[in-house]
Amino acid sequence: DKVYFIEQVAVEGGFRVNFAYGRRGATLTTGTKTENPVSEAVADEIFAKLKKEKMAKGYWEGAAVSGITSAPTQLAAVTDIQ
């Protein structure tokens, strides 16, 4: 059972798109798709593309969980039962 979380967060200077993934209940691997802040329009595109890629691989949108500590403007929790 794997999970993949995507968050779009407002930061000083723009927005960032971050992700976390791994097996449910284990320590998740984290990263960002935007090393530097980008405009909201660019962040929206990155977020949508990443979500689409994960859903094409068999993930589906689920509920957000308490593991995400920031206040994202967008959050997709995608899960894959395996």
Side-chain angles (χ1 to χ4, degrees), residues 1-4 21-29 80-82:
D1 185 25
K2 299 181 289 184
V3 294
Y4 197 104
Y21 65 90
R23 296 244 173 242
R24 187 180 310 274
T27 301
L28 300 178
T29 301
D80 181 21
I81 303 296
Q82 292 196 10

Side-chain angles (χ1 to χ4, degrees), residues 13 15 20 22-23 31 34 37 44:
F15 291 81
R23 296 244 173 242
T34 51
D44 286 345

Side-chain angles (χ1 to χ4, degrees), residues 3-63:
V3 294
Y4 197 104
F5 298 100
I6 310 163
E7 65 175 350
Q8 179 177 325
V9 183
V11 296
E12 185 175 334
F15 291 81
R16 294 190 65 171
V17 179
N18 303 318
F19 60 86
Y21 65 90
R23 296 244 173 242
R24 187 180 310 274
T27 301
L28 300 178
T29 301
T30 60
T32 185
K33 290 291 183 179
T34 51
E35 291 298 324
N36 297 307
V38 296
S39 70
E40 186 172 12
V42 170
D44 286 345
E45 289 177 22
I46 293 168
F47 183 96
K49 181 181 176 187
L50 183 56
K51 181 178 173 182
K52 182 177 178 180
E53 288 173 0
K54 294 306 167 187
M55 293 183 83
K57 291 183 177 183
Y59 288 86
W60 69 88
E61 193 163 4

